[in-house]
């Protein structure tokens, strides 16, 4: 039997919208992978009934002796008579997973075919064994999903599909990839997007759940009542009214109800209501309101599944014994944004309280885990998680060992930069702890090999594997803990903070004992380095950035050599995929850290130097930083082609382009200090026929020039100046 272009997908009953969408996806996969040809190919038959006796669809003794019926979300695929292939399931998700199993197993369409730009080589047909039988097993984790959070790239991207802009397409492709990974749940966006894409998520057959800052998916009190103080004590009926409205709106969906009480946004509620000034008071109110929400939800649906996020400040209160929860509410424990199951760092506060259920705790537990994170400090959102796959494996296996298998919600942000780690995490929510767990290198290596083989059709795949395996090796180590590895935000945010602190304070500083300028340290950077002056912080970051630049230059060189070899071998399409999926991330990091290094050199030149010449040196270094950050931005955008045009346009959180703007602002500020207030000295010194800097009979012979033009004049002489 073969699957070919004329293969039809038929059903013996009316299919739901979710299954129809999946059927359309398989039909598209067949068109993408099969050559147009004549008939004679098998048809795929979908059969969905409640609790199907196994005797109906399977004859093998070893299967008959198992459970009598197909479990929920499971499927059986069996070769049938008359050139047919049957998919049997007792629910929609079982059929959906079965359909995608055929797509991957026989057509080699990967879970992330779209996001990884998988290239298909069409064939006339794909062989299916005449005696083919496959029975899926229940997945290890009950509820499995992605939180499409910080989705700034997806929100502004306007992909052109079949000749017209399709704004929902990024979410369609995200939901499809999630289902292909065996997911069944989503928070479909942040804030307005969460509500906007609920219908679409439901159309894909997914459960809906909520942001940890948005209990029950309700509107924020301060948004609905902007003139009122966000205090439950003062306005209990208004808060409850918002919760009732949210419950009523979501009745038509399959919902995992998130219970909780936080502030107006992603912060503690006592930031808005300071009368709750003790842990006991805070825990008492949170416990009371969670029970109230629980009762409200259960009054509408007695079997409703509820969860609560033990995130940030809530986790600390729970661990301290200040929060009491209904027994059947799933406790969602969160990692710190870097993959470690401890409480997250907030500003300079980093208690690192263990975020796992105690051994022997038999309650319902799950996790909120980050493949992507945004903290304005050291995290990775535009690039992959900086910690190793082996580290992630350790953490997720420990979660499972402690009973955290009721719900996993993974922060996937904009999906494309994080496909490798999302694929790895899905292995554990599907299969649990591998039998090969005692040999981690073997397990991770096998996964990486399968991942690379799926998306790179090349005889040089081992070199591609090597490039991926080096990713965590070059990550910047910024602290003493095993998870203290930095992403691109460590370069961009910290460099911008250094510039901000320098400009804010320079005009009010005093000289130190050596006659150098002494600026107070940035309080925002104490989490990274608690130093006595900004200069000492600059030294600290400069050392980190120097190491990063050296490492990423080497890593980028290796990756570029792999790309060159792919091209030389005639694997041009594989080279493009490699360039867009891995090299682009290494480039983002390299240019970010190089730009940040020049920022440090610029500020250092002022704080360490004397006289007006130091401003020229500092200006020049700031200009180098500006150009490097701009090069990084332009290089990132160069990876947009075809449907991906505009994908990176709204890089607004890590925002390498903002680093470019800040570096330009630093240039302007330094020019004011060194060339102001009349702005003729530097121009006369470096511009030909501008009068020179020795004899001043007339101040200006040439019109004023821009900072960039001034930098170019200095650059022409840089080799003799610095």
């Amino acid at each position: 039997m073969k699957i070919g272009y004329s293969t039809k997908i038929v059903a013996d009953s009316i299919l739901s919208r979710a299954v129809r969408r999946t059927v359309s996806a398989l039909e598209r996969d067949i068109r993408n992978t099969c050559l147009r040809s004549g008939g004679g190919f098998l048809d795929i038959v979908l059969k969905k009934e409640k609790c199907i006796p196994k005797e109906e669809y399977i004859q093998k003794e070893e299967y008959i002796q198992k459970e009598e019926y197909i479990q929920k979300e499971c499927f059986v695929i069996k070769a049938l008579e008359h050139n047919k292939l049957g998919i049997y399931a007792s629910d929609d998700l079982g059929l959906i997973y079965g359909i995608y199993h055929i797509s991957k197993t026989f057509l080699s369409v990967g879970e992330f075919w779209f996001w990884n730009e998988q290239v298909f080589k069409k064939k006339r047909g794909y062989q299916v064994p005449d005696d083919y039988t496959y029975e899926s097993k229940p997945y290890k984790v009950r509820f499995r999903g992605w939180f499409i959070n910080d989705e700034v790239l997806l929100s502004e991207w306007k992909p052109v599909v079949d000749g017209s802009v399709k704004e929902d397409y990024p979410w369609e492709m995200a939901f499809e990839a999630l289902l292909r990974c065996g997911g069944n749940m989503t928070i479909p966006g942040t804030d307005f997007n969460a509500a906007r894409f609920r219908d679409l998520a439901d159309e894909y057959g997914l459960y809906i759940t909520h942001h940890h800052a948005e209990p029950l998916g309700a509107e924020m009190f301060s948004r609905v009542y902007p003139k009122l103080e966000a205090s439950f004590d003062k306005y209990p009926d208004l808060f409850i009214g918002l919760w009732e409205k949210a419950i009523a709106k979501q009745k038509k969906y399959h919902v995992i109800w998130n219970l909780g009480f936080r502030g107006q946004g992603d912060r503690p509620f006592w930031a808005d209501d300071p009368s709750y000034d003790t842990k006991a008071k805070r825990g008492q109110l949170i416990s009371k309101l969670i029970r109230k929400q629980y009762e409200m939800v259960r009054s509408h649906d007695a079997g409703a599944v509820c969860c609560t996020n033990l995130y940030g400040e809530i986790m600390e209160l729970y661990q301290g014994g200040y929060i009491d929860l209904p027994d059947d509410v799933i406790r969602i424990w969160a990692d710190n944004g870097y993959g470690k199951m401890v409480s997250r760092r907030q500003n300079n506060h980093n208690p690192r309280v263990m975020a796992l259920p105690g051994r022997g705790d038999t309650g319902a537990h799950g996790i909120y885990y980050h493949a992507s994170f945004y903290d304005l400090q050291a995290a990775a959102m535009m690039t992959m998680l900086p910690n190793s796959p082996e580290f992630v494996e350790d953490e997720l296996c420990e979660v499972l060992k402690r009973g955290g298998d009721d719900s996993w919600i993974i922060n996937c942000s904009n999906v494309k930069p994080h496909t490798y780690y999302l694929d790895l995490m899905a292995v554990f929510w599907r299969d649990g702890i591998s039998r090969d767990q005692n040999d981690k290198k073997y397990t991770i290596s096998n996964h990486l090999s399968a991942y690379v083989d799926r998306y790179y059709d090349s005889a040089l795949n081992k070199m591609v594997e090597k490039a991926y395996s080096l990713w965590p090796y070059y990550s910047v180590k910024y602290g003493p803990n095993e998870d203290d590895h930095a992403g691109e935000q460590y370069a961009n945010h910290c460099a911008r903070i250094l510039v901000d602190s320098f400009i804010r304070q320079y005009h009010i500083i005093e000289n130190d004992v050596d006659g150098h300028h002494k600026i107070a340290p940035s309080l925002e950077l104490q989490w990274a380095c608690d130093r006595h002056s900004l200069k000492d912080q600059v030294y600290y970051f400069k050392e980190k950035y120097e190491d990063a630049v050296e490492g990423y230059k080497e890593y980028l060189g290796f990756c570029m050599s792999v790309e060159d070899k792919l091209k030389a071998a005639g694997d041009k399409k594989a080279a493009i995929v490699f360039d867009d999926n891995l090299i682009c991330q290494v480039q983002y990091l390299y240019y970010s850290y190089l730009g940040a290094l020049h920022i440090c050199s610029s500020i250092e030149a002022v704080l360490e130097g004397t006289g007006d010449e130091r401003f020229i040196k500092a200006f020049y270094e700031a200009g180098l930083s500006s150009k490097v950050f701009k090069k990084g931005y332009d290089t990132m955008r160069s990876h947009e082609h075809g449907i991906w045009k505009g994908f990176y346009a709204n890089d607004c959180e890590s925002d390498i382009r903002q680093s470019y703007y800040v570096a330009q602002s630093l240039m302007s500020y330094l020019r004011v200090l060194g060339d102001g207030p009349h702005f003729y000295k530097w121009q006369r010194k470096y511009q030909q026929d501008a009068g020179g800097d020795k004899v001043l009979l007339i101040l200006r012979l040439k019109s004023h020039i821009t900072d960039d033009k001034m930098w170019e004049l200095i650059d022409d002489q840089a080799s003799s100046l610095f």
Side-chain angles (χ1 to χ4, degrees):
M1 298 196 302
K2 286 187 177 182
I3 297 174
Y5 198 87
S6 61
T7 288
K8 293 182 176 59
I9 305 162
V10 297
D12 64 353
S13 60
I14 297 174
L15 300 176
S16 68
R17 287 186 305 176
V19 177
R20 291 200 305 271
R21 276 190 174 273
T22 312
V23 168
S24 296
L26 180 55
E27 290 170 341
R28 177 206 61 217
D29 294 346
I30 291 172
R31 292 193 300 271
N32 286 343
T33 59
C34 296
L35 295 167
R36 288 179 178 269
S37 55
F41 295 104
L42 66 80
D43 289 336
I44 297 169
V45 180
L46 308 181
K47 185 175 177 62
K48 178 187 170 187
E49 294 180 5
K50 289 185 178 180
C51 300
I52 309 167
K54 286 195 173 180
E55 301 85 80
E56 282 191 16
Y57 59 82
I58 197 130
Q59 302 300 320
K60 291 189 177 181
E61 186 71 17
E62 62 266 31
Y63 286 98
I64 294 173
Q65 291 177 2
K66 291 185 180 180
E67 298 170 22
E68 186 179 5
Y69 305 116
I70 297 179
Q71 297 185 47
K72 285 187 175 181
E73 301 189 4
C74 292
F75 61 89
V76 171
I77 299 176
K78 179 178 172 57
L80 305 174
E81 295 178 346
H82 309 301
N83 208 22
K84 287 181 170 52
L85 186 66
I87 305 177
Y88 299 85
S90 61
D91 62 1
D92 283 350
L93 283 171
L95 286 177
I96 289 168
Y97 298 150
I99 291 169
Y100 284 135
H101 175 86
I102 288 175
S103 175
K104 179 179 178 180
T105 303
F106 298 113
L107 305 180
S108 298
V109 177
E111 289 86 347
F112 297 96
W113 70 269
F114 173 75
W115 300 98
N116 281 350
E117 305 174 39
Q118 184 177 1
V119 177
F120 301 113
K121 292 182 179 179
K122 292 186 177 183
K123 295 167 56 177
R124 186 178 182 279
Y126 295 83
Q127 190 71 44
V128 178
D130 290 340
D131 60 348
Y132 184 78
T133 299
Y134 180 87
E135 180 183 20
S136 73
K137 297 178 181 178
Y139 293 143
K140 176 63 177 176
V141 177
R142 181 184 177 194
F143 299 113
R144 315 162 296 278
W146 292 346
F147 180 9
I148 303 177
N149 181 223
D150 296 317
E151 65 276 22
V152 293
L153 302 185
L154 303 187
S155 292
E156 294 300 314
W157 181 33
K158 303 294 186 291
V160 176
V161 181
D162 297 328
S164 60
V165 172
K166 192 173 182 182
E167 293 187 7
D168 290 357
Y169 196 67
W171 271 262
E172 292 177 7
M173 291 295 97
F175 295 152
E176 179 181 317
L178 172 58
L179 287 164
R180 286 178 179 270
C181 288
N184 62 3
M185 172 180 66
T186 186
I187 305 173
T190 311
D191 202 6
F192 294 114
N193 279 340
R196 175 185 172 189
F197 290 106
R198 279 175 191 155
D199 281 339
L200 185 62
D202 183 64
E203 285 184 26
Y204 275 82
L206 294 165
Y207 288 90
I208 307 295
T209 191
H210 313 111
H211 191 299
H212 50 80
E214 298 173 315
L216 302 176
E219 292 181 272
M220 288 288 177
F221 183 93
S222 292
R223 181 171 285 156
V224 180
Y225 305 107
K227 295 183 179 180
L228 300 181
E229 181 183 351
S231 168
F232 183 85
D233 289 344
K234 291 182 179 180
Y235 305 107
D237 292 342
L238 296 182
F239 274 95
I240 291 171
L242 292 176
W243 299 338
E244 285 282 9
K245 183 179 177 183
I247 293 169
K249 273 188 174 181
Q250 296 172 82
K251 274 185 179 180
K252 60 182 179 179
Y253 307 125
H254 299 290
V255 180
I256 312 299
W257 296 96
N258 173 43
L259 316 178
F261 190 66
R262 299 190 71 205
Q264 299 303 289
D266 194 355
R267 60 180 184 169
F269 78 84
W270 51 89
D272 305 301
D273 192 347
S275 64
Y276 286 86
D277 54 2
T278 68
K279 291 180 179 180
K281 288 181 184 178
R282 295 164 181 172
Q284 185 178 25
L285 181 62
I286 291 170
S287 301
K288 181 178 80 171
L289 297 186
I290 284 177
R291 287 197 175 268
K292 175 63 178 176
Q293 294 166 357
Y294 178 82
E295 292 166 1
M296 292 168 65
V297 168
R298 286 300 181 94
S299 70
H300 289 274
D301 178 2
V305 179
C306 298
C307 68
T308 191
N309 279 272
L310 306 177
Y311 189 68
E313 74 282 355
I314 306 296
M315 198 271 288
E316 291 184 51
L317 290 173
Y318 181 82
Q319 291 281 52
Y322 295 102
I323 293 180
D324 177 56
L325 300 172
D327 291 340
D328 59 350
V329 169
I330 302 171
R331 280 78 164 158
I332 306 295
W333 304 80
D335 76 306
N336 63 349
Y338 297 80
K340 184 67 178 175
M341 294 305 299
V342 296
S343 59
R344 63 165 291 190
R345 179 175 57 239
Q346 299 194 63
N347 300 316
N348 294 314
H349 180 57
N350 191 20
R352 292 183 67 87
V353 177
M354 186 180 72
L356 285 170
R359 296 185 185 279
D361 187 334
T362 58
H365 297 281
I367 57 170
Y368 171 40
Y369 201 78
H370 292 81
S372 171
F373 189 48
Y374 179 59
D375 66 352
L376 297 89
Q377 292 184 337
M381 194 195 79
M382 295 295 292
T383 60
M384 287 189 283
L385 185 71
N387 285 307
S388 72
E390 290 82 2
F391 167 81
V392 171
E393 182 179 30
D394 278 346
E395 292 300 300
L396 296 182
C397 287
E398 186 62 26
V399 167
L400 292 173
K401 288 175 183 176
R402 290 175 179 256
D405 58 5
D406 288 281
S407 175
W408 284 17
I409 190 80
I410 309 295
N411 190 317
C412 70
S413 71
N414 300 285
V415 185
K416 186 172 176 59
H418 310 290
T419 55
Y420 171 64
Y421 279 92
L422 290 172
D423 193 87
L424 177 65
M425 293 169 190
V427 169
F428 292 99
W429 78 25
R430 290 194 303 261
D431 303 334
I433 300 173
S434 169
R435 288 176 295 179
D436 300 315
Q437 181 59 23
N438 292 330
D439 186 353
K440 272 180 243 162
K441 285 187 178 178
Y442 177 79
T443 305
I444 294 298
S445 175
N446 272 13
H447 171 262
L448 178 57
S449 293
Y451 181 85
V452 169
D453 287 345
R454 204 172 304 143
Y455 300 110
Y456 299 91
D457 185 11
S458 171
L460 300 177
N461 275 2
K462 287 300 178 184
M463 294 188 68
V464 176
E465 281 183 47
K466 177 68 173 176
Y468 272 91
S469 69
L470 289 173
W471 176 265
Y473 174 80
Y474 287 100
S475 295
V476 178
K477 189 81 167 74
Y478 69 85
N481 303 297
E482 61 177 335
D483 53 298
D484 287 342
H485 290 94
E488 79 283 343
Q489 292 164 50
Y490 190 66
N492 288 281
H493 282 287
C494 294
R496 297 199 294 255
I497 292 169
L498 290 172
V499 172
D500 174 82
S501 295
F502 171 72
I503 292 176
R504 282 178 185 273
Q505 297 186 73
Y506 185 77
H507 66 290
I508 58 172
I509 61 177
E510 298 179 358
N511 289 354
D512 61 19
V513 293
D514 297 319
H516 297 130
H517 288 58
K518 184 176 181 180
I519 301 179
S522 168
L523 296 180
E524 283 204 39
L525 296 176
Q526 282 185 335
W527 63 269
C529 58
D530 189 7
R531 300 294 190 269
H532 297 297
S533 69
L534 183 69
K535 182 171 67 174
D536 290 338
Q537 288 181 323
V538 169
Y539 290 159
Y540 171 85
F541 279 103
K542 185 177 182 182
E543 183 178 344
K544 293 293 184 184
Y545 294 161
E546 284 174 337
D547 290 344
V549 169
E550 181 180 356
Y552 282 121
K553 183 178 181 180
E554 179 178 282
Y555 188 21
L556 183 57
F558 176 78
C559 290
M560 297 300 288
S561 72
V562 173
E563 182 182 25
D564 289 341
K565 289 174 183 176
L566 287 169
K567 291 177 180 177
D571 296 332
K572 293 183 179 179
K573 290 183 177 178
I576 292 171
V577 172
F578 183 66
D579 192 46
D580 290 342
N581 289 338
L582 184 62
I583 288 179
C584 67
Q585 297 195 38
V586 182
Q587 288 170 330
Y588 195 108
L589 289 162
Y590 172 69
Y591 288 118
S592 293
Y593 280 100
L594 182 57
L597 176 59
H598 285 302
I599 287 289
C600 290
S601 296
S602 175
I603 298 173
E604 180 185 45
V606 175
L607 300 183
E608 274 291 291
T610 57
D612 288 345
E613 292 299 313
R614 62 197 164 125
F615 296 117
I616 296 174
K617 169 66 172 172
F619 175 84
Y620 182 71
E621 288 287 345
L624 287 172
S625 175
S626 166
K627 291 185 179 300
V628 168
F629 281 130
K630 180 63 162 58
K631 176 69 172 175
Y633 174 76
D634 291 341
T635 301
M636 172 183 70
R637 298 299 304 275
S638 73
H639 290 280
E640 300 173 345
H641 47 81
I643 197 171
W644 299 100
K645 195 72 175 175
F647 180 75
Y648 294 110
N650 197 41
D651 168 23
C652 64
E653 292 191 323
S654 296
D655 205 345
I656 196 170
R657 180 171 47 178
Q658 176 63 10
S659 299
Y660 156 64
Y661 293 151
V662 169
Q664 288 205 311
S665 297
L666 179 60
M667 289 175 68
S668 296
Y669 180 70
L670 292 167
R671 191 175 176 190
V672 168
L673 294 177
D675 199 27
H678 301 299
F679 302 96
Y680 67 88
K681 292 179 290 185
W682 290 4
Q683 192 168 349
R684 289 182 69 104
K685 185 171 184 177
Y686 295 110
Q687 188 177 32
Q688 189 176 2
D689 299 326
D693 62 341
K694 302 299 183 183
V695 179
L696 301 179
L697 297 178
I698 181 172
L699 289 184
R700 302 210 61 81
L701 294 175
K702 300 277 188 179
S703 60
H704 289 87
I705 58 177
T706 64
D707 292 341
D708 285 338
K709 182 62 178 176
M710 178 60 71
W711 186 90
E712 291 173 6
L713 294 175
I714 297 173
D715 184 52
D716 289 339
Q717 304 177 44
S719 60
S720 61
L721 290 174
F722 313 120

